[in-house]
Amino acid sequence: MASNLVVGFLAIFSIILLLAGTSDAWLRKPHFYASSCPNVEQIVFNTMKQAVSKEPRMGASILRLFFHDCFVNGCDGSVLLDDTPTSQGEKMAFPNRNNSIRGFEVIDAIKSNVEAACSGTVSCADILALAARDGVQLLGGPTWNVKLGRRDARTANMTLANLNLPPGNAPLANLTELFARQNLNIREMTALSGGHTIGFARCTNFRDHIYNDSNIDPNFAATRKASCPRPTGTGDFNLAPMDIQTPNTFDNDYYKNLVAKRGLLHSDQELYNGGSQDSLVKMYSTNQALFFQDFAAAMIRMGDLKPLTGTNGEIRNNCRVIN
Ligand code: HEM
Ligand SMILES: *[C@@H]1O[C@H](CO)[C@@H](O)[C@H](O)[C@H]1NC(C)=O
Ligand SMILES: *[C@@H]1O[C@H](CO)[C@@H](O)[C@H](O)[C@H]1NC(C)=O
Ligand SMILES: *[C@@H]1O[C@H](CO)[C@@H](O)[C@H](O)[C@H]1NC(C)=O
Ligand SMILES: CC(=O)N[C@H]1CO[C@H](CO)[C@@H](O)[C@@H]1O
């Protein structure tokens, strides 16, 4: 009897410890809006579906938007804020500027559809987290449960965006450090980089790699040079697919390309250049299921970054401006 009681207490006690110990106790998965906005996931999905069928690249652009939100003070919708005369947003940070990050109109459309159904309830940060998940799935990738309950920042920080967002010419050590800063390990970094199986990059971001680096397939380099002239300032905005085979399909081609030395960015090829990530890249290149599993898990971890919860922040009425 007495020992049963002790065992029971121990069990309850360890459950409490477990709950207190999980880093994600703050977000109720995934039913945060179950009574306040029961259709939110459907509304986001339907609007994303329309946007992606109109322009498949939008799935990629929204995924990147979420990444750039989370790496600057957590997933708090800060990246969505426009500049105002008195406060600078993050849209002019170097990795974001000149409309390199895009998809704001789609987020606006989702927000207005969500507001029509449940006014003043769902944060822009949560909308972005859901939309990124849906974009990946709509292009053929994995899906996952998005933890909800984030609130929106009342500030943005362009300086921090410049410091925290990885540049396309970064070496492996720098990439590793930038992800470690966000408590993401190197395996999670390599999995998340698989986001580059969709979307496009500008000549200005891969010019040096195709003209100056030697760890690149010469035929691939020649193909890319055809639409990315050498002199700076010429064709800077010309686009190339991050995955030369299927830029609108979320698959494991990114890793196959790295193994074949067809990474588009210098930073991409750093993951398969004789270093610590070679074996994982090789594994993902032959095991898409493993990549999908790791990618989904890492997206959830990235989505957990420094959330505003409770009464912190706000639920923005318009994703571009604070209330
Ligand atoms: C590992 C470090 C990373 C670096 C250095 C990097 C860098 C870049 C660069 C330079 C571009 C092209 C931007 C342009 O030319 O306008 C790009 C595009 C993109 N990135 Fe990353 N990125 C990284 C990680 C990630 C992660 C973690 C994700 C998402 C999970 C992601 C998703 C994307 C997507 C989807 C695009 C294409 C966007 C579009 O077509 O609109 N990237 N990235
Ligand atoms: C923005 O981030 C930088 C770098 O962490 C920090 O020094 C600065 O105080 C931040 N600015 C604001 C307005 O929070
Ligand atoms: C890599 O990190 C070092 C040290 O922080 C920095 O000086 C250098 O500019 C970075 N290089 C790139 C290409 O980001
Ligand atoms: C390649 O390297 C040379 C020498 O360091 C440099 O002048 C040039 O700007 C680099 N980039 C390209 C696209 O040639
Ligand atoms: C290629 C390029 O960088 N173009 C523009 C990007 O945005 C800055 C700031 O607005 C402009 O000065 C550049 O000309």
Side-chain angles (χ1 to χ4, degrees):
M1 265 307 253
S3 75
N4 273 352
L5 224 98
V6 170
V7 169
F9 268 125
L10 278 178
I12 289 168
F13 189 62
S14 48
I15 288 171
I16 290 169
L17 274 184
L18 233 141
L19 287 176
T22 40
S23 60
D24 47 16
W26 54 273
L27 289 176
R28 282 184 258 155
K29 178 202 89 167
H31 303 302
F32 187 81
Y33 300 108
S35 57
S36 60
C37 196
N39 295 330
V40 60
E41 301 217 14
Q42 201 57 51
I43 296 168
V44 174
F45 183 81
N46 289 344
T47 317
M48 276 302 287
K49 194 174 172 184
Q50 278 171 20
V52 170
S53 61
K54 197 167 139 211
E55 188 203 7
R57 184 186 174 195
M58 197 47 76
S61 301
I62 299 285
L63 173 62
R64 183 168 187 239
L65 212 46
F66 181 57
F67 164 50
H68 283 204
D69 186 26
C70 294
F71 265 49
V72 184
N73 268 332
C75 316
D76 60 1
S78 59
V79 74
L80 304 172
L81 290 172
D82 283 340
D83 290 351
T84 75
T86 53
S87 73
Q88 183 149 45
E90 292 163 14
K91 295 179 183 180
M92 282 297 283
F94 287 105
N96 294 342
R97 61 169 43 182
N98 295 317
N99 302 311
S100 176
I101 47 167
R102 58 200 294 282
F104 298 106
E105 304 75 16
V106 173
I107 298 301
D108 292 341
I110 298 173
K111 176 68 171 174
S112 80
N113 290 341
V114 169
E115 285 296 302
C118 5
S119 169
T121 305
V122 181
S123 66
C124 297
D126 275 348
I127 284 175
L128 186 50
L130 289 168
R133 184 267 311 266
D134 293 346
V136 167
Q137 194 195 355
L138 284 161
L139 295 177
T143 189
W144 55 92
N145 287 327
V146 173
K147 293 193 262 175
L148 299 169
R150 298 169 189 80
R151 289 168 65 84
D152 296 323
R154 294 180 47 81
T155 56
N157 192 331
M158 188 185 80
T159 311
L160 195 58
N162 279 324
L163 291 171
N164 279 2
L165 295 173
N169 62 349
L172 186 59
N174 290 36
L175 298 171
T176 308
E177 197 275 321
L178 290 168
F179 278 71
R181 234 181 249 179
Q182 309 286 353
N183 263 313
L184 294 167
N185 66 36
I186 195 165
R187 185 182 175 108
E188 290 166 326
M189 176 179 93
T190 298
L192 286 169
S193 297
H196 288 179
T197 181
I198 50 175
F200 295 79
R202 293 170 170 177
C203 168
T204 182
N205 284 314
F206 60 81
R207 179 182 280 123
D208 286 343
H209 179 54
I210 60 173
Y211 284 99
N212 278 357
D213 287 348
S214 54
N215 58 346
I216 185 169
D217 164 20
N219 292 321
F220 173 71
T223 303
R224 291 282 72 105
K225 286 174 186 174
S227 55
C228 182
R230 183 163 205 155
T232 308
T234 56
D236 283 1
F237 290 86
N238 293 355
L239 291 176
M242 313 272 283
D243 164 6
I244 192 169
Q245 288 94 358
T246 50
N248 296 325
T249 304
F250 197 101
D251 53 23
N252 67 338
D253 282 355
Y254 173 74
Y255 302 100
K256 293 180 183 169
N257 288 330
L258 294 187
V259 170
K261 299 202 168 149
R262 289 184 204 131
L264 183 61
L265 305 175
H266 177 85
S267 56
D268 290 326
Q269 200 59 57
E270 281 288 299
L271 300 179
Y272 189 85
N273 192 35
S276 66
Q277 297 308 287
D278 283 20
S279 58
L280 184 58
V281 166
K282 263 205 167 131
M283 257 199 280
Y284 288 154
S285 77
T286 58
N287 189 342
Q288 179 166 278
L290 179 67
F291 163 51
F292 278 15
Q293 191 184 314
D294 285 3
F295 183 82
M299 284 295 289
I300 293 170
R301 288 253 304 133
M302 187 169 82
D304 276 351
L305 286 172
K306 268 181 80 177
L308 292 168
T309 56
T311 55
N312 293 320
E314 63 183 19
I315 305 297
R316 250 177 246 155
N317 297 319
N318 172 342
C319 293
R320 293 171 183 265
V321 294
I322 62 174
N323 292 345

